């Protein structure tokens, strides 16, 4: 009778845990304890931040002579802080290629925020590059004035037909004669010497830039922070179950045995079903990136045995393109710690080493790569 009672109580606990596993989350740890005279069952879960802790609360249940009722839930957030180097290219348009004017258009630093990482980037002066956006033809005229004389007469033979200015040959465009001296001829003064003021000119054309575009790089370290996972501790307090009052213990004993046997059959079936489902639960999840940073969408679940650590995602519909994330749940990750795990897909396969088991092993890779090395 005593052994029968122990067996029934063990099955009740298994049934309660199986029901919990089917209805909600499976705890990472479960402890039955008596703390300062208070009987308690403590269940611990390590879950992602988006999980609602209210779903972890279970209705009252009986185990080993006690009725357990939810008392409180505590949580412990596991924060993360990641950093990376970022280079951002900025383009500005200017009317001049003067460096001082270009620097006036470029801020010493710029803020960076991609929705996940944020920080401040500083201008790298060595990356500044300026080019013309286009060219136009500019026309003009170059002139020069030359004084020739004094000469004895206003003769054009004294005036050169061309002159040179800044390496350019200018043609004669006009001459003005001036009297610089006179002589008395009879009773009349007559010009005795002259000087010529010659004007020269030439047309010019040149290509000038219509504007300039400058590119420069801003560099710096940016960080991302948040909550990676949360440990929830759910505590249930037990009250000793009062036994039913039986007037004739001897007559009640057969009824107790019959009742226990009748209860045993469905409990065995339920417990067996629950244990079977628990053992066959999916332990490798496949995700693809969602619409927001650090947001992933679950696309497939697999059951993997430790003896054959691999999955094949070739038949997924729709077939993912680009980044794929594989999460090995903690129970399997603990068994595979330090071992290789293989993900087969349509173009090749990716083999890597399982490096962590709490809360599980997470790995991302790119399906567009022809070959993944073992890491």
């Amino acid at each position: 009778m005593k052994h029968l009672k122990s067996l029934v109580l063990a099955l009740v606990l298994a049934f309660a845990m199986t029901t919990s596993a089917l209805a909600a989350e499976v705890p990472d740890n479960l402890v039955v304890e008596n703390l300062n005279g208070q009987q308690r069952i403590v269940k611990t879960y390590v879950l992602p931040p988006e999980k609602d802790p209210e779903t972890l609360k279970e209705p009252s249940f009986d185990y080993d002579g006690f009725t357990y009722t939810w008392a409180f839930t505590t949580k412990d957030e596991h924060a993360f802080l990641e950093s990376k180097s970022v280079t951002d290219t900025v383009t500005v348009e200017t009317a001049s290629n003067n460096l001082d004017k270009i620097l006036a258009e470029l801020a010493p630093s710029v803020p960076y925020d991609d929705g996940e990482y944020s920080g401040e980037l500083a201008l790298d002066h060595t990356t500044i590059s300026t080019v013309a956006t286009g060219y136009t033809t500019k026309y003009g005229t170059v002139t020069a004035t030359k004084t020739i004389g004094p000469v004895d007469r206003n003769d054009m033979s004294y005036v050169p037909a061309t002159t040179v200015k800044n390496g350019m040959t200018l043609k004669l465009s006009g001459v003005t004669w001036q009297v610089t001296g006179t002589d008395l001829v009879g009773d009349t003064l007559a010009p005795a010497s002259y000087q010529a003021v010659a004007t020269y000119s030439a047309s010019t054309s040149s290509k000038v830039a219509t504007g300039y575009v400058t590119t420069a790089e801003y560099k710096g370290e940016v960080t991302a922070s948040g909550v990676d996972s949360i440990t929830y501790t759910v505590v249930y307090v037990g009250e000793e179950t009062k036994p039913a009052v039986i007037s004739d213990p001897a007559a009640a004993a057969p009824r107790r045995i019959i009742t226990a046997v009748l209860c045993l059959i469905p409990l065995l079936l339920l417990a067996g079903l629950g244990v079977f489902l628990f053992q066959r639960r999916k332990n490798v999840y496949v995700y693809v990136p969602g619409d927001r940073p650090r947001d992933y969408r679950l696309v497939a679940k697999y059951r993997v045995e430790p003896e054959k650590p691999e999955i094949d995602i070739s038949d997924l519909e729709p077939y993912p393109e680009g980044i794929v994330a594989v999460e090995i749940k903690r129970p399997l990750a603990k068994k595979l710690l330090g071992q290789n795990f293989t993900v087969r897909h349509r173009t090749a396969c990716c083999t890597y080493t399982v490096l962590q088991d709490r809360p599980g092993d997470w790995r991302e890779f790119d399906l567009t790569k022809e070959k993944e090395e073992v890491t």
Side-chain angles (χ1 to χ4, degrees):
M1 183 68 183
K2 181 177 180 181
H3 293 297
L4 180 61
K5 178 182 178 183
S6 299
L7 178 59
V8 171
L9 290 174
L11 289 171
V12 170
L13 179 59
F15 173 66
M17 293 179 65
T18 302
T19 304
S20 173
L22 293 174
E25 295 285 341
V26 178
D28 292 83
N29 191 35
L30 187 150
V31 176
V32 180
E33 64 181 9
N34 188 292
L35 182 63
N36 299 326
Q38 186 182 66
Q39 191 68 21
R40 310 196 317 171
I41 288 181
V42 181
K43 297 185 178 184
T44 304
Y45 306 81
V46 180
L47 301 173
E50 63 270 14
K51 183 67 178 181
D52 183 3
E54 288 297 314
T55 62
L56 304 177
K57 294 168 59 175
E58 301 174 37
S60 298
F61 58 91
D62 294 334
Y63 170 65
D64 200 15
F66 289 86
T67 298
Y68 288 90
T69 304
W70 176 83
F72 59 89
T73 300
T74 64
K75 73 174 183 178
D76 181 18
E77 296 183 346
H78 306 294
F80 70 90
L81 178 63
E82 300 173 356
S83 64
K84 67 177 181 179
S85 297
V86 170
T87 298
D88 196 9
T89 301
V90 173
T91 301
V92 295
E93 294 185 1
T94 57
S96 169
N97 61 350
N98 182 276
L99 182 58
D100 291 337
K101 294 182 178 180
I102 292 173
L103 289 175
E105 297 292 330
L106 295 171
S109 62
V110 294
Y112 179 88
D113 190 347
D114 63 1
E116 181 180 3
Y117 287 84
S118 62
E120 197 80 10
L121 305 181
L123 174 63
D124 183 353
H125 292 77
T126 63
T127 64
I128 297 175
S129 175
T130 302
V131 295
T133 57
Y135 291 91
T136 186
T137 302
K138 183 178 181 180
Y139 297 94
T141 301
V142 177
T143 61
T145 301
K146 188 174 183 180
T147 302
I148 304 165
V151 294
D152 58 351
R153 60 185 181 279
N154 54 353
D155 190 340
M156 289 296 294
S157 63
Y158 291 118
V159 181
T162 61
T163 190
V164 177
K165 181 178 181 181
N166 298 331
M168 179 180 294
T169 299
L170 283 63
K171 294 182 179 180
L172 181 66
S173 59
V175 178
T176 301
W177 290 96
Q178 300 174 349
V179 177
T180 58
T182 59
D183 284 334
L184 185 62
V185 178
D187 296 330
T188 306
L189 288 174
S193 62
Y194 300 84
Q195 70 176 13
V197 178
T199 303
Y200 298 85
S201 65
S203 298
T204 62
S205 64
S206 61
K207 286 187 176 181
V208 294
T210 56
Y212 296 89
V213 60
T214 297
T215 58
E217 293 181 354
Y218 287 79
K219 301 178 180 180
E221 289 285 324
V222 294
T223 59
S225 60
V227 177
D228 186 55
S229 63
I230 301 176
T231 297
Y232 292 100
T233 302
V234 185
V235 178
Y236 299 87
V237 175
E239 293 290 338
E240 189 172 2
T241 304
K242 295 181 180 180
V245 177
I246 301 176
S247 58
D248 187 355
R255 290 198 296 270
R256 289 200 301 269
I257 295 175
I258 294 172
T259 302
V261 172
L262 292 176
C263 292
L264 179 60
I265 295 174
L267 287 175
L268 282 172
L269 294 175
L270 287 172
L273 176 62
V275 171
F276 174 77
L277 294 176
F278 181 77
Q279 291 177 343
R280 298 303 301 171
R281 63 178 178 165
K282 309 296 185 181
N283 52 13
V284 177
Y285 289 8
V286 178
Y287 304 83
V288 297
D291 298 329
R292 297 177 300 174
R294 298 187 64 81
D295 178 26
Y296 289 85
R297 177 168 53 87
L298 179 65
V299 295
K301 297 181 181 181
Y302 296 88
R303 173 67 189 180
V304 175
E305 300 299 334
E307 297 79 13
K308 189 178 181 182
E310 64 176 50
I311 60 172
D312 190 339
I313 64 173
S314 302
D315 297 331
L316 284 183
E317 291 296 341
Y319 186 71
E321 300 289 343
I323 300 298
V324 168
V326 175
E327 178 186 17
I328 302 176
K329 291 298 185 178
R330 186 186 178 196
L332 178 60
K334 291 176 66 177
K335 296 178 181 179
L336 297 181
L337 193 63
Q339 301 183 39
N340 289 339
F341 189 85
T342 300
V343 179
R344 301 184 184 279
H345 52 95
R346 293 181 181 178
T347 56
C349 64
C350 173
T351 300
Y352 60 91
T353 304
V354 179
L355 298 178
Q356 63 179 15
D357 63 344
R358 184 177 182 90
D361 189 82
W362 179 279
R363 192 63 56 97
E364 297 182 11
F365 59 94
D366 194 339
L367 289 182
T368 60
K369 293 184 179 179
E370 291 295 327
K371 183 178 180 182
E372 288 282 348
E373 298 180 354
V374 176
T375 58

